[in-house]
């Protein structure tokens, strides 16, 4: 008895956090991407494609400071022992491209790009390790009009995809406002970087948790309904009050820097009860208000926000499409100015009938330091990115996508294997009509099975019809066309098998020279019926 073990077969399985995408979704996705591409092109953006992986130090966010850099990215070493990483977004490769080709590029440089990105993170429901983004960026100008334009681009893109006004909103904020508040409450030193990040993360949860939840996360922490405890930022009450005033919208004068700030201390808005929690409003304290407005970062952020609001309103984009929202944070730490988020506001149900909100489907902002770190000179930039998979799911829920399977190819059956060349000519005639008409998808059957199996193959391929030319048809200079869609419909009306054989539903013969016209008539009949 041989002791040699049989080779172990590999298990057919997907890596965690990955998914296969089949034909109908690919086609619907391509149509969606085509619409986005047309909008981006209409704004003058040019296409660019960058490699799937870059040198890890060029990506900038994660560095190989351990044996293998695995914090958020997939990385490997090349033959020179240099670390490379799969791109985690499309912006970091853009920064490298601009820095490498800076002298030859027009300034500003405007590009769009779509493609997959990878995150080495724990996968979950709807959260994949590979997903697709569609970006537009303007590099080389600090003109606030570039940021305003991206807000308009986001709105136009959503509407071009069929999302009506009232079902989306583009929210705009400025990280300088948030940085100014953090500076005012004493968190402006590098030693407070962790606490600053915790504050921003808490603010980012405002839409989901409301003011009481954010207030808890700004302080000692918060326990959720499951009993899990999230540690807070550890701010004291006086610091929390300043942040919460902005979140509650009570400092409405924040967004009109030209107006004098002198709210009456008895203004009921300043003592408004939010979510069952009464909290003092330090903005009523003129000393603290003056300190906040004296902060240069805060004031600059307010001024930029008002410029954006003026620009978009003058272009006809009112607050029902683009609105100022001081709770928008955006997650990446490299944002330095205006930030925007495109959010869907309608509610739908999941497969189990539970209500769901899609929320954000895209976002971006100004990142003036990302390109500059390569060149050592100021190179401002701003961009917007669409989360393609999330937007696809939303459009599907709205019924705005054509997810029907595309019609399969016309299949030429092989009745005589010695005549493969003749069958290829028939297929080629359909694919390349000599009358200048649209080409039609066609293929010959390349298996080795008989007539019955070939018909089953055509059915599985979704073929609208098959072309048959046996010896009898060849002798008459004809081909037989069987309309599979019509035949399937008619066969349901015939109860007797002999009647079916005698009637040959939806099957007819034409001269070989009339093949293309006959196939077109079959396709046109079903296009008309489906319309």
């Amino acid at each position: 008895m041989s002791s040699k073990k049989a080779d172990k077969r590999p298990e057919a399985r997907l890596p965690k956090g990955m998914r296969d995408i089949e034909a109908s979704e690919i086609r619907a996705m391509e149509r969606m991407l085509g619409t986005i591409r047309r909008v981006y092109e209409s704004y003058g953006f040019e296409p660019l494609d960058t490699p799937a992986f870059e040198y890890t130090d060029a990506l900038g966010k994660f560095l190989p400071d351990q044996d293998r850099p695995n914090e958020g990215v997939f990385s490997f070493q090349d033959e020179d022992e240099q670390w490379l990483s799969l791109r985690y977004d499309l912006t970091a490769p853009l920064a490298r491209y601009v820095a490498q080709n800076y002298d030859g590029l027009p300034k500003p440089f405007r590009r769009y790009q779509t493609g997959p990105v990878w995150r080495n993170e724990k996968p979950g429901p709807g959260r994949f390790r590979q997903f697709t983004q569609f970006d537009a960026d303007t590099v080389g100008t600090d003109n606030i009009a570039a940021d305003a334009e991206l807000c308009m681009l986001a709105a136009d893109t959503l509407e071009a995809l069929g999302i009506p006004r009232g079902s989306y909103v583009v929210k705009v904020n400025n990280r300088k406002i948030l940085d100014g508040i953090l500076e005012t409450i004493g968190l402006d030193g590098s030693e407070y970087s962790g606490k600053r990040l915790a504050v921003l993360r808490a603010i980012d949860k405002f839409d989901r948790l409301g003011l009481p939840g954010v207030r808890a996360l700004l302080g000692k922490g918060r326990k959720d309904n499951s009993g899990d405890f999230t540690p807070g930022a550890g701010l004291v009450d006086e610091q929390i009050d300043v942040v919460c005033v902005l979140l509650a919208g009570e400092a409405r004068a924040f967004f009109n820097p030209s107006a004098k700030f002198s709210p009456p201390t008895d203004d009921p808005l300043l003592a408004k009860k939010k979510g069952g929690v009464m909290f003092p409003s330090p903005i009523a304290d003129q000393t603290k208000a003056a300190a906040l407005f004296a902060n240069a970062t805060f004031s600059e952020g307010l001024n930029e926000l008002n410029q954006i609001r003026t620009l978009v309103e003058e272009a006809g984009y009112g607050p029902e499409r683009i609105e100022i929202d001081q709770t928008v944070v955006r997650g990446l730490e490299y944002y330095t100015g205006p930030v925007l988020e495109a959010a869907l506001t309608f509610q739908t149900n999941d497969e189990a009938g539970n209500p769901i909100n899609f929320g954000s489907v895209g976002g971006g902002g100004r990142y003036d330091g990302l390109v500059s770190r390569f060149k050592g000179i100021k190179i401002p930039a701003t961009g917007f990115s669409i989360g393609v998979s999330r937007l696809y799911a939303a459009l599907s829920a709205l019924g705005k996508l054509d997810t029907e399977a595309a019609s399969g190819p016309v299949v030429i059956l092989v009745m005589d294997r010695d005549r493969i060349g003749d069958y290829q000519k028939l297929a080629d005639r359909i694919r390349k009509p000599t009358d200048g008409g649209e080409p039609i998808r066609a293929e010959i059957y390349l298996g080795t099975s008989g007539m019955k199996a070939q018909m089953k193959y055509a059915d599985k391929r979704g073929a609208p019809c098959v072309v048959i030319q046996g010896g009898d048809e060849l002798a008459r200079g004809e081909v037989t066309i069987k309309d599979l869609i019509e035949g399937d419909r008619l066969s349901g009306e015939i109860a007797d098998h002999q009647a079916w054989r005698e009637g040959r539903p939806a099957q007819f013969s034409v001269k070989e020279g009339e093949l293309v016209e006959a196939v077109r008539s079959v396709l046109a009949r079903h296009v008309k019926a489906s319309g």
Side-chain angles (χ1 to χ4, degrees):
M1 182 176 179
S2 173
S3 60
K4 184 178 180 180
K5 294 182 179 179
D7 291 338
K8 184 178 180 181
R9 294 176 180 171
E11 182 181 352
R13 55 179 180 158
L14 270 173
K16 290 181 180 179
M18 302 293 178
R19 61 188 291 258
D20 295 316
I21 305 175
E22 298 183 346
S24 61
E25 183 175 341
I26 290 172
R27 289 192 173 97
M29 183 78 75
E30 284 300 318
R31 287 191 285 271
M32 183 186 86
L33 294 177
T35 298
I36 299 172
R37 186 175 291 108
R38 285 190 293 274
V39 176
Y40 284 17
E41 288 264 3
S42 74
Y43 273 73
F45 290 95
E46 297 286 348
L48 175 70
D49 195 18
T50 55
F53 54 84
E54 302 268 350
Y55 285 113
T56 302
D57 59 352
L59 289 178
K61 189 179 179 186
F62 304 99
L63 297 176
D65 54 359
Q66 299 176 352
D67 291 340
R68 174 182 177 273
N70 56 5
E71 182 66 29
V73 295
F74 292 99
S75 301
F76 60 96
Q77 282 182 299
D78 65 10
E79 66 279 4
D80 297 323
E81 298 186 349
Q82 296 191 70
W83 281 103
L84 299 130
S85 296
L86 285 171
R87 63 191 184 200
Y88 58 82
D89 68 6
L90 299 176
T91 311
L94 170 66
R96 187 268 310 157
Y97 173 84
V98 171
Q100 192 172 3
N101 300 277
Y102 188 74
D103 292 338
L105 294 176
K107 284 85 163 180
F109 175 64
R110 295 158 65 78
R111 83 89 173 86
Y112 71 83
Q113 181 176 356
T114 184
V117 297
W118 294 265
R119 304 278 174 91
N120 190 1
E121 299 172 341
K122 183 178 180 181
R127 185 181 181 90
F128 298 99
R129 286 174 164 171
Q130 177 180 320
F131 52 95
T132 301
Q133 292 182 333
F134 205 139
D135 289 15
D137 292 79
T138 300
V139 182
T141 179
D142 56 7
N143 190 340
I144 206 69
D147 303 273
E149 181 186 67
L150 290 177
C151 298
M152 295 184 283
L153 173 76
D156 286 348
T157 300
L158 294 179
E159 291 192 17
L161 290 166
I163 299 175
R165 295 183 192 181
S167 293
Y168 76 88
V169 65
V170 179
K171 303 176 182 179
V172 193
N173 194 17
N174 198 309
R175 288 293 284 266
K176 293 176 183 177
I177 288 176
L178 300 173
D179 289 343
I181 291 175
L182 293 171
E183 291 171 9
T184 301
I185 62 176
L187 300 183
D188 53 339
S190 59
E191 68 272 22
Y192 296 113
S193 59
K195 184 169 287 192
R196 288 167 64 93
L197 187 58
V199 172
L200 293 177
R201 286 174 175 165
I203 294 172
D204 199 37
K205 294 180 172 62
F206 179 78
D207 284 347
R208 183 166 58 87
L209 300 180
L211 190 60
V214 173
R215 189 176 179 87
L217 288 176
L218 291 172
K220 295 179 179 179
R222 175 182 178 272
K223 182 182 291 187
D224 61 23
N225 293 333
S226 69
D228 290 340
F229 181 78
T230 302
L235 302 186
V236 299
D237 286 344
E238 185 174 344
Q239 293 172 312
I240 294 173
D241 288 340
V242 175
V243 178
C244 286
V245 164
L246 183 69
L247 294 179
E250 294 173 343
R252 56 189 183 276
F254 280 15
F255 300 103
N256 185 5
S258 63
K260 291 184 178 180
F261 186 77
S262 56
T265 54
D266 60 348
D267 185 340
L269 192 60
L270 295 180
K272 194 172 182 180
K273 190 173 184 179
K274 299 282 184 181
V277 176
M278 289 291 292
F279 62 92
S281 179
I283 213 65
D285 184 326
Q286 295 299 294
T287 301
K288 292 178 180 177
L292 191 56
F293 277 93
N295 181 279
T297 305
F298 183 89
S299 296
E300 186 177 350
L302 290 180
N303 184 49
E304 291 178 357
L305 266 187
N306 275 281
Q307 288 183 61
I308 291 175
R309 180 171 57 185
T310 299
L311 288 168
V312 299
E313 288 181 352
E314 287 178 347
Y317 295 75
E320 77 283 359
R321 303 170 72 186
I322 301 172
E323 71 173 20
I324 304 299
D325 185 335
Q326 61 268 42
T327 68
V328 174
V329 173
R330 299 300 302 164
L332 294 177
E333 297 178 51
Y334 58 59
Y335 288 124
T336 59
V339 288
L340 67 147
E341 190 168 274
L344 303 184
T345 57
F346 66 91
Q347 189 177 80
T348 187
N349 296 324
D350 60 18
E351 294 179 356
N354 301 313
I356 57 173
N357 293 307
F358 281 99
S360 176
V361 293
R366 181 161 287 277
Y367 51 97
D368 287 348
L370 199 60
V371 185
S372 302
R373 69 188 187 88
F374 287 99
K375 300 288 289 182
I377 59 174
K378 181 181 179 182
I379 306 177
T382 185
F384 172 69
S385 177
I386 288 175
V388 171
S389 298
R390 190 169 183 82
L391 181 55
Y392 178 91
L395 292 173
S396 181
L398 273 178
K400 299 296 184 180
L401 286 176
D402 178 12
T403 55
E404 294 293 325
S407 175
V410 174
V411 176
I412 290 85
L413 304 189
V414 175
M415 313 304 292
D416 183 351
R417 294 183 193 171
D418 292 334
R419 295 184 53 231
I420 291 290
D422 293 337
Y423 296 130
Q424 285 285 19
K425 289 178 182 178
L426 291 177
D428 203 52
R429 185 178 298 178
I430 297 172
R431 296 184 195 122
K432 305 170 186 175
T434 58
D435 60 3
E438 287 292 323
I440 301 167
R441 297 177 69 206
E443 65 176 65
I444 71 168
Y445 174 74
L446 295 174
T448 58
S449 299
M451 175 75 164
K452 187 175 180 180
Q454 292 187 48
M455 290 298 294
K456 285 185 177 180
Y457 171 81
D459 279 334
K460 286 187 176 181
R461 291 286 283 129
C465 62
V466 297
V467 176
I468 304 168
Q469 191 183 58
D472 293 341
E473 287 94 352
L474 179 63
R476 297 192 301 267
E478 295 180 346
V479 293
T480 295
I481 297 175
K482 182 173 178 58
D483 184 336
L484 298 185
I485 300 174
E486 184 71 1
D488 185 59
R489 184 185 70 81
L490 293 176
S491 65
E493 301 174 2
I494 299 176
D496 183 80
H497 182 65
Q498 183 176 350
W500 185 89
R501 287 177 60 86
E502 293 174 353
R504 300 285 186 181
Q507 183 169 304
F508 60 97
S509 295
V510 298
K511 292 296 183 181
E512 191 172 321
E514 300 170 356
L515 170 62
V516 174
E517 184 179 350
V519 169
R520 281 185 186 144
S521 69
V522 171
L523 299 178
R525 178 164 62 244
H526 297 308
V527 169
K528 184 176 180 180
S530 64

